[in-house]
Amino acid sequence: MSTSPVPADSGDLDVHVYDTTLRDGAQQEGMNLSVGDKLAIAALLDELGVGFIEGGWPGAVPKDTEFFARMDKEVELSNAALAAFGATRKVGVRPHDDPQVRALLDSGASVITLVAKSDIRHVERALRTTGEENLAMIAETVAYLREADRRVFVDVEHFFDGFRFDPSYALRAVTTAFEAGAEVVALCDTNGGMLPIWVHEIVGKVRAETDGRLGIHAHNDSGCAIANSIAAVEAGARHVQGCVNGYGERTGNADLLSVVANLEIKTGRTLLPAGGLSEITRIAHAISELTNIAPFARQPYIGASAFAHKAGLHASAIRVDPDLYQHVDPRAVGNDMRMLVSDMAGRASIELKGRELGFDLAGQGDLLGRVTNRVKDSEANGYTYDAADASFELLLREEMDGKRLAYFEVESWRAIVEHTASRGDVVDAEATVKLRTGDRRVVSTGEGNGPVNALDHALRQALVTAYPDVEAFDLIDYKVRLLDSSHGTDAITRVLIEMTDGEHTWNTVGVGPNILEASWEALVDSITFGLLRSGVRPA
């Protein structure tokens, strides 16, 4: 692990990028990171080029203590400095006698970030001490850590609320930290209730009183964390804190990647090393896998829907110039434009979607007309292709080739569910599939925890001898929607299936008078497309 200061070329960056995903972000409800997860995320953050990675609170959280110990042996940082988070000394205790302050030094981190009170109400009610003692706690702890040759940042929590209540005391907390040797003082909107205009005004007033490097740490409780971070930078802050994907407790912290993208693209500032911005989509999705929290499709810049276009009017313009309906080039952030095919689709949408899938449909008016009409008719009957690219490609190929791509011919299928009260209300599902692959007839039975799961097992078991690639396919997501719920259990059902081969994923759709028929259609399309994608020829 590199415990040296940030590499020299980071001095050319206009604004510090300080990631707190591993500490503040990990407080999100439902997130539980192992030490191994944290090590892997730290490596990805360093690859992205952030300047600082806050690893956690050593001495207070055993898992974080282990993380710092393992970082020293297992991860070599190239771009980032590792920061340990902790509190100022306790009331009435000298810094070198405070075990948690000592644990910060023992972590080996080159940067230590202290959380300190700046709202006099918190000082008196939470710390139960005086304003002067709190300032002494800040000054003495910062000085002690500086004497130990550590870079010290101070997060003054509840700063904006405190400043609005007692601006003089909040400002004294900031200046005290700087005078004691703090390199950065981050102003925290801990409750997340500020608006950009308030943040801009307050940071501007603090900027007028000190020339030290100010930072911003914004929570998203008012939905303004990204905007508040940008407002702070516009008012003079030169250090932004946040979490990848906006992770964090309650409604989360500022989404650091959106903050970085906005500041780099919209204001021309430099926050990441060259090439870093184009990696944010890949890094964000990789971290999503490690946190086991599905990526948010509509996340700005990096979401799957961030540059997805659906309306036919948009498509006509995009065919002429994509920039007409996109605020930035998606390639700048490592994302890509997508065309969504729906009942809004015109011929331009179909042509662009075909191009995205690798088909040149320009000048093929009859084909475009057939596909457009078929999409509109199908969606009127409940299908949706904007979330099922694989089903759309199979439809397009069918219209191009004049026949449906088929790797097998289904004779019949059935599913049985048995509930046995005498066995403790156990429910068993069994499915039988009869089909032909080439000249071979196969009858296969599969079991599962439900009828769809049993059908999936039976179908793949029937095909695996003829098509071994099927063994690698895995159904990873399954969604059901009733399309005319007023009909109750007699409603038309739509099923969306997501499948993977371990490297790629694809989505298919099925519609039917019941959940099994809709599921079977989506399942057959999914297996068919998977074999097509694998380059398999029909038997």
Side-chain angles (χ1 to χ4, degrees), residues 269-454:
R269 291 180 171 87
T270 303
L271 288 86
L272 296 176
L277 190 64
S278 64
E279 296 296 318
I280 67 173
T281 299
R282 177 181 65 84
I283 295 292
H285 291 177
I287 291 175
S288 291
E289 291 297 321
L290 290 166
T291 61
N292 199 29
I293 296 174
F296 179 43
R298 291 186 290 133
Q299 188 172 352
Y301 289 103
I302 64 175
S305 299
F307 301 97
H309 304 277
K310 186 170 183 175
L313 178 64
H314 284 208
S316 299
I318 288 169
R319 184 171 57 176
V320 176
D321 184 354
D323 291 339
L324 292 173
Y325 281 93
Q326 295 180 157
H327 70 112
V328 298
D329 183 344
R331 292 172 297 183
V333 292
N335 207 338
D336 200 2
M337 183 184 77
R338 291 193 304 127
M339 292 305 303
L340 305 179
V341 176
S342 72
D343 59 354
M344 296 182 183
R347 295 188 180 196
S349 295
I350 300 298
E351 182 180 338
L352 285 169
K353 186 63 180 180
R355 186 186 306 169
E356 181 185 319
L357 297 174
F359 302 100
D360 184 3
L361 306 180
Q364 301 188 52
D366 289 344
L367 173 62
L368 289 170
R370 292 198 309 273
V371 175
T372 300
N373 290 334
R374 185 166 171 187
V375 166
K376 291 179 182 291
D377 290 343
S378 295
E379 295 226 347
N381 290 321
Y383 289 84
T384 178
Y385 294 106
D386 58 2
D389 278 1
S391 287
F392 173 75
E393 183 170 337
L394 292 176
L395 180 154
L396 177 60
R397 287 176 176 271
E398 182 178 351
E399 290 297 332
M400 293 174 62
D401 299 339
K403 62 179 181 179
R404 188 74 169 179
L405 176 65
Y407 288 89
F408 50 91
E409 180 183 348
V410 179
E411 287 187 9
S412 66
W413 58 268
R414 67 180 180 183
I416 302 171
V417 177
E418 181 181 8
H419 175 272
T420 309
S422 62
R423 293 171 54 205
D425 291 331
V426 171
V427 177
D428 295 315
E430 180 181 290
T432 300
V433 173
K434 299 177 183 180
L435 53 78
R436 291 183 177 275
T437 57
D439 296 330
R440 184 167 174 263
R441 183 174 185 268
V442 181
V443 178
S444 175
T445 299
E447 296 179 330
N449 56 18
V452 177
N453 186 229

Side-chain angles (χ1 to χ4, degrees), residues 16 18 20 23-24 54 85 112-118 138 152-160 170 173-175 177-178 182-190 202-203 206-207 210 212-218 232 237-242:
H16 283 175
Y18 182 105
T20 181
R23 200 271 305 174
D24 219 1
E54 188 174 81
F85 180 87
I112 293 176
T113 300
L114 296 171
V115 60
K117 301 294 186 186
S118 59
I138 296 172
V152 181
F153 298 170
V154 176
D155 286 359
V156 281
E157 67 172 357
H158 298 282
F159 177 80
F160 292 94
V174 173
T175 56
F178 279 130
E183 181 179 334
V184 173
V185 176
L187 311 179
C188 302
D189 182 18
T190 312
I202 293 171
V203 173
V206 177
R207 174 79 289 157
T210 177
R213 183 181 284 262
L214 296 174
I216 179 68
H217 178 108
R238 291 296 177 265
H239 170 107
V240 293
Q241 298 188 3

Side-chain angles (χ1 to χ4, degrees), residues 25-35 37-38 63 290-293:
Q27 297 184 62
Q28 176 167 312
E29 183 177 6
M31 187 187 295
N32 185 21
L33 300 179
S34 68
V35 175
D37 292 334
K38 294 184 67 168
K63 187 185 295 185
L290 290 166
T291 61
N292 199 29
I293 296 174

